[in-house]
Amino acid sequence: MTSMESDKCWQECMDVAVQIARSAGQVVREAVKQEKRVSTKSTPADLVTEADHQVEELIISTLRERFPSHRFIGEESSAAGEKCILTDSPTWIIDPIDGTCNFVHSFPMVAVSIGFAVKKELEFGVIYHCFEETLYTARKGQGAFCNGLRLQVSKEKDVSKALILTEIGAKRDPKTLKIFSGNIEKLLSAPAHGVRIIGSSTLALCQVATGAADAYYQYGLHCWDIAAAAVIIREAGGVVIDTSGGPLDLMSRRVVAAGSQEIASYIVQQLQPISYERDDNGHSTQ
Ligand code: IPD
């Protein structure tokens, strides 16, 4: 494929992703009104509902019909034992309901997230806030948008003026929780303006892209929580890196994202790591 052909082809994929994210969001809005059957996965805090499965099936079957040669990584397919490995093939990376715990409680921070990578490079990301009906999109090299309006990160460099977001992750053993609270404590005594937890990694990351938050970090999220959001933040002018300060590793279950390299580096220096098994280690794990 020439670069013009691939450009056209990935644009077509992105247009389909937008349509399917909106349809999936509608299914989520209906499903939240119904009684939910909730099960747990890796830990009692790692929830899944019938709606997660239904929405993932809807997204993947629609995309597979349209793009039969593409590969798929989906949260629930991975939990069911499908391999979560990124190859050079065009690959869709899907979280059908990000913020499942919020969904279970009808807490209105729930998103559908669709990322797309080719040759292991993220090409575009689409995140749909199901209840606000806001659509975050970005394509590599073409900017990031929310409902069509261009996004820009805050560019804040001073951590003492920063609002920082994080998420808890599924592990809740005492040692993990101690490190988790210790990390928050360090940032609060920086002193950052505040630290927030909203229950959806993808929507929290979108807040960094809009400039409403200055940074985000987390241990324990998955590739489907980061893929789409990483393109959106980078295209909004932000930084998305590994918690070690090196380049982002999509399968590593950890991330620091920020509106400036200065704040990202500051957070990297403060964090004590929490270890999680990689997404591509072959098991479905914590
Ligand atoms: C989870 C949520 C949660 C975060 C987890 C994610 P899910 O996604 O984003 O806030 O702490 O790390 O895996 O399970 O609701 O799709």
Side-chain angles (χ1 to χ4, degrees), residues 75 95 97-100 167-169 199-201 218 220-222 225:
E75 175 171 19
D95 192 339
I97 300 186
D98 180 48
T100 300
E167 288 294 326
I168 308 170
S200 158
S201 304
Q218 192 191 345
L221 76 179
H222 293 273
D225 297 312

Side-chain angles (χ1 to χ4, degrees), residues 124-267:
F124 66 76
V126 171
I127 295 176
Y128 184 63
H129 187 317
C130 303
F131 299 120
E132 268 184 11
E133 302 186 42
T134 36
L135 180 76
Y136 299 90
T137 54
R139 183 142 183 238
K140 194 171 76 185
Q142 297 185 16
F145 299 86
C146 176
N147 287 349
L149 295 177
R150 196 156 192 136
L151 294 177
Q152 186 159 52
V153 295
S154 70
K155 298 204 171 106
E156 181 58 63
K157 292 185 172 65
D158 180 353
V159 76
S160 71
K161 293 184 184 143
L163 182 63
I164 301 172
L165 306 186
T166 188
E167 288 294 326
I168 308 170
K171 276 192 192 175
R172 302 292 162 88
D173 59 281
K175 190 176 160 221
T176 300
L177 290 179
K178 198 156 181 239
I179 302 174
F180 175 79
S181 350
N183 285 338
I184 293 187
E185 230 173 280
K186 275 193 220 153
L187 294 170
L188 287 177
S189 54
H193 273 173
V195 175
R196 303 276 184 272
I197 299 171
I198 63 170
S200 158
S201 304
T202 60
L203 289 178
L205 284 158
C206 284
Q207 297 313 307
V208 177
T210 67
D214 303 293
Y216 179 86
Y217 70 92
Q218 192 191 345
Y219 293 98
L221 76 179
H222 293 273
C223 57
W224 44 82
D225 297 312
I226 316 173
V231 194
I232 296 170
I233 294 178
R234 284 178 181 148
E235 287 300 319
V239 195
V240 186
I241 56 175
D242 186 67
T243 50
S244 66
L248 173 71
D249 172 350
L250 208 53
M251 296 294 164
S252 69
R253 315 269 316 263
R254 50 197 212 186
V255 72
V256 172
S260 71
Q261 182 61 50
E262 287 81 353
I263 290 201
S265 304
Y266 181 88
I267 293 175

Side-chain angles (χ1 to χ4, degrees), residues 43-181:
T43 71
D46 188 8
L47 307 183
V48 61
T49 67
E50 275 180 344
D52 293 73
H53 290 289
Q54 275 162 13
V55 175
E56 182 159 320
E57 168 62 21
L58 167 77
I59 297 174
I60 295 187
S61 61
T62 311
L63 292 173
R64 189 167 270 144
E65 201 176 310
R66 191 89 186 246
F67 308 106
S69 64
H70 291 183
R71 293 173 65 98
F72 297 89
I73 293 175
E75 175 171 19
E76 306 317 332
S77 321
S78 300
E82 272 190 34
K83 283 208 170 81
C84 180
I85 290 170
L86 200 56
T87 66
D88 281 349
S89 304
T91 303
W92 298 80
I93 306 166
I94 297 154
D95 192 339
I97 300 186
D98 180 48
T100 300
C101 180
N102 286 347
F103 171 77
V104 165
H105 293 271
S106 304
F107 185 81
M109 297 299 269
V110 176
V112 175
S113 178
I114 304 178
F116 183 75
V118 182
K119 297 198 172 84
K120 302 190 183 80
E121 286 276 321
L122 293 164
E123 276 293 328
F124 66 76
V126 171
I127 295 176
Y128 184 63
H129 187 317
C130 303
F131 299 120
E132 268 184 11
E133 302 186 42
T134 36
L135 180 76
Y136 299 90
T137 54
R139 183 142 183 238
K140 194 171 76 185
Q142 297 185 16
F145 299 86
C146 176
N147 287 349
L149 295 177
R150 196 156 192 136
L151 294 177
Q152 186 159 52
V153 295
S154 70
K155 298 204 171 106
E156 181 58 63
K157 292 185 172 65
D158 180 353
V159 76
S160 71
K161 293 184 184 143
L163 182 63
I164 301 172
L165 306 186
T166 188
E167 288 294 326
I168 308 170
K171 276 192 192 175
R172 302 292 162 88
D173 59 281
K175 190 176 160 221
T176 300
L177 290 179
K178 198 156 181 239
I179 302 174
F180 175 79
S181 350

